[in-house]
Amino acid sequence: METVEAAEAAGGPGGLICASFSQDTTSLAVGTKNGYRLFSVTSVDRLDRVHESKNPDVYIVERLFSSSLVVVVSLSMPRRMNVYHFKKGTEICNYSYSNNILAVRLNRQRLIVCLEESIYIHNIKDMKLLKTLLNTPINPTGLCALSINHSHSYLAYPGSSAIGEIIVYDANNLSTVTKILAHDSPLAAITFSSSGTKLSSASERGTVIRVFSVPEGLKLFEFRRGMKRYVSISSLSFSTDAQFLCASSNTETVHIFKLEQHSHSRDEESPTWSAYVGKVFSAASNYLPAQVSDMMNQDRAFATVRLNVFGQKNVCALSTIQKLPRLLVASADGHLYIYNVDPQDGGECVLVKKHRLFSSDEDEEEASESEVTAAPVSQSYAATVAMPTTVPSSSAVTGYSEDGGVKKGEVIPEHEFAASPVCLDDENEFPPINSCRGGSRSGKGRRT
């Protein structure tokens, strides 16, 4: 659920502003100057467009798994979060905050809103505000991560603006779990494995990537991305089985690391030249300074990808598509790249498909027909609910203030329950929203 900001690509019509993969990497959401789009990423050759909205200048768009719940924040109203049921074309609710929204994270239990110096934790079933974490360390990029395993809903965010300290917070029980001193430099990226039992991090230097156990906070793995230069890590992502970890940056290289514990007995059974050299380095490291010893014991990339673009941010994800492991890279150049990953031998990954995510106004229609196929909307989805004819505007709701916000230290009163349910059933997969009705007593949030 990482976000890509692409100022260099956003200058033209339809320019890409943000991109994020869903929690299970089955879909991709992109925000542009002309609106946002949702794609299904379940095939290599086809990129099905599930939904398209004309909301302009969207810089945050997050979809809840493969459901119809989508959260949107636009540059025109950066303090307001809108939650939509995109298949029905209705707004479920919106919230306004005291400062610009920098990031939104969600799973089946919680919705997290991150501001520069505060974090808001909502119950996703009724959007009630459960907890406000005030006076958090200055976090200008809105760096945070939420585990998709909703049985505990671990939330990770920076514990310091000067060093790479991570606070792991239990968003279900609303209590701090542990603090991890991960790096000497401030954090640049953090992410959880799908089970929530592993947490990976990178600092602003971008040379070392570490993996910790959760909730214990013990260091499990340490990988070296490079030594020659500092880079800006833009995204980290585990594979579903947490056997691999990918990292992308503002360079042309995406690294994939393999999370495996080295067995000495295996090396003795198959005495190869590389195993011998590894033993020599391991033995020598015991007599070297700590910093040099740590560097020698750090694992290198198992597989790599060389992108054709340099200096642009991107977001990467590891997924299994058509029963094969793939690396997905959504780049600020407006394309989705799909690579094959060899889980046995690694090495250089092979590009198998390049999809265009948006186009200029002149070739919009042509690109939509040739590269992106609009996915048919299931008619059975909303069979149990009536389709509304219009979407209420925010100005029509009594007590709603366009520039009102959640002030620091102020708790939003519990919302009134609905007269009729808003059901996001999605073919009985899960219901993220129980029920709601228009109006809130505080004027800080609105339900429709």
Side-chain angles (χ1 to χ4, degrees):
M1 290 77 70
E2 307 289 340
T3 298
V4 171
E5 296 179 357
E8 58 270 15
L16 185 68
I17 299 176
C18 67
S20 64
F21 290 98
S22 63
Q23 296 83 353
D24 55 2
T25 66
T26 59
S27 67
L28 171 67
V30 297
T32 73
K33 293 185 69 65
N34 292 340
Y36 70 89
R37 293 179 176 182
L38 305 177
F39 300 97
S40 174
V41 191
T42 56
S43 172
V44 171
D45 296 325
R46 288 168 54 91
L47 185 64
D48 292 333
R49 187 171 65 240
V50 178
H51 177 69
E52 181 174 8
S53 172
K54 297 301 183 182
N55 293 9
D57 296 328
V58 171
Y59 74 95
I60 293 177
V61 53
E62 297 284 345
R63 184 183 182 186
L64 180 64
F65 290 90
S66 57
S67 76
S68 297
L69 187 147
V70 61
V71 179
V72 177
V73 184
S74 67
L75 292 172
S76 60
M77 288 183 288
R79 298 186 178 190
R80 191 172 86 171
M81 173 187 71
N82 297 87
V83 183
Y84 295 107
H85 184 303
F86 70 82
K87 284 188 179 179
K88 292 174 60 181
T90 59
E91 181 186 77
I92 296 172
C93 63
N94 63 62
Y95 270 90
S96 291
Y97 299 86
S98 59
N99 209 336
N100 291 354
I101 300 171
L102 301 179
V104 175
R105 301 288 182 263
L106 56 163
N107 63 22
R108 289 184 173 95
Q109 290 287 341
R110 297 291 180 259
L111 186 149
I112 308 298
V113 178
C114 183
L115 312 187
E116 187 171 9
E117 294 185 73
S118 57
I119 296 176
Y120 296 84
I121 302 175
H122 294 265
N123 179 17
I124 204 168
K125 294 184 183 298
D126 57 11
M127 285 305 298
K128 175 184 177 183
L129 180 66
L130 302 175
K131 182 75 174 181
T132 304
L133 303 176
L134 300 174
N135 302 316
T136 57
I138 295 176
N139 185 7
T141 62
L143 180 61
C144 63
L146 179 67
S147 66
I148 67 173
N149 186 342
H150 59 276
S151 62
H152 41 61
S153 296
Y154 288 137
L155 167 68
Y157 61 94
S160 170
S161 58
I163 60 173
E165 182 183 69
I166 305 172
I167 294 179
V168 179
Y169 189 87
D170 188 334
N172 280 354
N173 296 316
L174 305 179
S175 60
T176 300
V177 175
T178 187
K179 294 182 180 180
I180 302 173
L181 183 55
H183 304 271
D184 294 332
S185 302
L187 297 169
I190 49 178
T191 190
F192 284 100
S193 63
S194 58
S195 64
T197 58
K198 291 182 177 68
L199 173 66
S200 179
S201 65
S203 73
E204 289 182 351
R205 292 182 178 179
T207 55
V208 176
I209 295 169
R210 297 188 171 100
V211 178
F212 301 90
S213 64
V214 180
E216 299 83 8
L218 302 176
K219 186 172 70 175
L220 300 177
F221 301 94
E222 188 169 79
F223 304 104
R224 177 159 288 275
R225 193 214 57 82
M227 297 175 59
K228 295 182 180 179
R229 54 182 173 174
Y230 293 163
V231 301
S232 175
I233 301 291
S234 55
S235 71
L236 294 170
S237 179
F238 285 96
S239 59
T240 304
D241 58 5
Q243 295 299 306
F244 298 92
L245 172 70
C246 63
S248 65
S249 65
N250 59 340
T251 69
E252 71 281 5
T253 307
V254 179
H255 296 80
I256 301 176
F257 304 97
K258 192 171 186 178
L259 281 65
E260 60 178 353
Q261 299 290 352
H262 299 291
S263 173
H264 295 291
S265 60
R266 183 182 303 175
D267 292 339
E268 294 174 358
E269 292 173 1
S270 55
T272 62
W273 172 250
S274 60
Y276 172 75
V277 173
K279 287 183 179 180
V280 172
F281 274 98
S282 179
S285 66
N286 295 326
Y287 302 96
L288 295 172
Q291 289 183 341
V292 179
S293 176
D294 290 344
M295 187 179 301
M296 293 178 65
N297 288 323
Q298 290 164 350
D299 289 332
R300 300 307 175 97
F302 171 76
T304 57
V305 163
R306 300 287 180 180
L307 303 174
N308 294 326
V309 294
F310 177 83
Q312 293 187 341
K313 289 186 177 181
N314 53 68
V315 58
C316 62
L318 290 165
S319 180
T320 299
I321 301 177
Q322 295 169 317
K323 299 182 180 180
L324 293 176
R326 321 279 187 175
L327 173 70
L328 310 177
V329 182
S331 174
D333 69 353
H335 291 89
L336 171 67
Y337 300 88
I338 302 179
Y339 296 84
N340 281 345
V341 179
D342 187 335
Q344 300 299 324
D345 299 326
E348 189 75 17
C349 298
V350 178
L351 177 66
V352 292
K353 195 66 178 180
K354 175 183 175 182
H355 294 287
R356 194 172 186 178
L357 299 175
F358 67 90
S359 58
S360 61
D361 292 340
E362 291 77 13
D363 58 359
E364 179 80 28
E365 184 176 351
E366 179 183 353
S368 298
E369 294 176 354
S370 62
E371 297 198 38
V372 179
T373 304
V377 177
S378 173
Q379 297 299 317
S380 63
Y381 174 81
T384 58
V385 293
M387 296 289 288
T389 55
T390 58
V391 180
S393 64
S394 59
S395 59
V397 179
T398 304
Y400 178 79
S401 173
E402 197 66 53
D403 57 354
V406 181
K407 305 302 181 183
K408 289 187 175 181
E410 181 179 355
V411 179
I412 300 176
E414 181 175 353
H415 290 291
E416 299 175 342
F417 288 103
S420 59
V422 175
C423 183
L424 298 185
D425 189 279
D426 282 312
E427 283 70 50
N428 299 315
E429 183 184 3
F430 52 85
I433 298 292
N434 282 340
S435 55
C436 55
R437 71 178 176 186
S440 76
R441 291 189 290 264
S442 65
K444 307 300 188 285
R446 180 169 69 90
R447 313 303 296 268
T448 58

